[in-house]
Amino acid sequence: MTTATKTSNAVDKRSLLNSDQAAALLDWIRRRPRGGKRLHAFFATLYYCGPRPEEAVAMHVRDVHLPDVDAADQWCELMIHTATPEVGKQWTDTGEIHERRDLKGRAEGDTRSVPGHPALTRILRQHIEDEGLKPGELLFQGESGGILAGSVIRRAWRSARQAALAPQSSTRRPASVCTTSGTPASPNG
């Protein structure tokens, strides 16, 4: 008689990025010559708040509540309410590459409010200003203003991983490098 293999839903914490690795990745992405600053804000949002990529690309500027610049509490709040996964035009009724959906594992029309670290507040404030974004516009746009393409996200992530997490670059980064890049030395920093 064979027995079923035991499985676990727990995340193996050894497979997660540590704060030094996250800082190195975000810094490398920010310095990319083509779209680096825009992608930096996108990946920083994934790191600090944990939305799925298809949730982040669906966010509009109005979904981000940033505190006043001089407020003592600099935590921001993101309202996640829609996902737009890239499914391919042959699989959508509209012929579009992305399909608008409710949040995974939630009731229809449900939303999720997510706090954002003060470092993310600074990054998003700068991103919105640099891009000249208005409340009704997508927070993370492609080069031509449309939805940020999955192929761009995957290419940037793959390149950043190869460059920033290569075995020879696994030494610890000084905190000053992390803070000058807009990324704290630790998620709590």
Side-chain angles (χ1 to χ4, degrees), residues 80-149:
I80 313 287
H81 55 81
T82 307
T84 53
E86 193 173 271
V87 295
K89 25 180 154 178
Q90 70 273 24
W91 303 107
T92 64
D93 294 334
T94 62
E96 297 291 323
I97 293 172
H98 294 86
E99 183 175 69
R100 185 180 167 100
R101 296 182 181 170
D102 287 313
L103 300 180
K104 191 173 187 177
R106 300 226 174 207
E108 186 176 326
D110 204 1
T111 62
R112 183 170 79 246
S113 175
V114 183
H117 190 277
L120 181 62
T121 299
R122 288 188 299 277
I123 292 167
L124 290 178
R125 184 177 282 123
Q126 190 66 53
H127 169 70
I128 292 167
E129 181 181 319
D130 289 349
E131 297 290 318
L133 299 175
K134 305 292 182 241
E137 295 180 325
L138 288 171
L139 181 61
F140 306 113
Q141 301 178 5
E143 284 185 341
S144 60
I147 195 164
L148 183 58

Side-chain angles (χ1 to χ4, degrees), residues 35-96:
K37 287 183 180 179
R38 189 176 340 102
L39 289 167
H40 175 256
F42 173 79
F43 283 109
T45 299
L46 297 185
Y47 173 65
Y48 285 109
C49 293
R52 291 178 171 86
E54 64 266 20
E55 295 170 344
V57 297
M59 291 178 61
H60 289 80
V61 176
R62 68 175 166 255
D63 299 325
V64 179
H65 178 267
L66 298 174
D68 291 334
V69 176
D70 57 352
D73 181 358
Q74 284 296 303
W75 284 80
C76 63
E77 182 179 32
L78 308 182
M79 184 59 67
I80 313 287
H81 55 81
T82 307
T84 53
E86 193 173 271
V87 295
K89 25 180 154 178
Q90 70 273 24
W91 303 107
T92 64
D93 294 334
T94 62
E96 297 291 323

Side-chain angles (χ1 to χ4, degrees), residues 28-40 142-144 152 155-156:
W28 190 91
I29 289 169
R30 184 182 55 78
R31 291 183 290 112
R32 279 187 75 187
R34 188 170 170 187
K37 287 183 180 179
R38 189 176 340 102
L39 289 167
H40 175 256
E143 284 185 341
S144 60
V152 172
R155 191 170 37 252

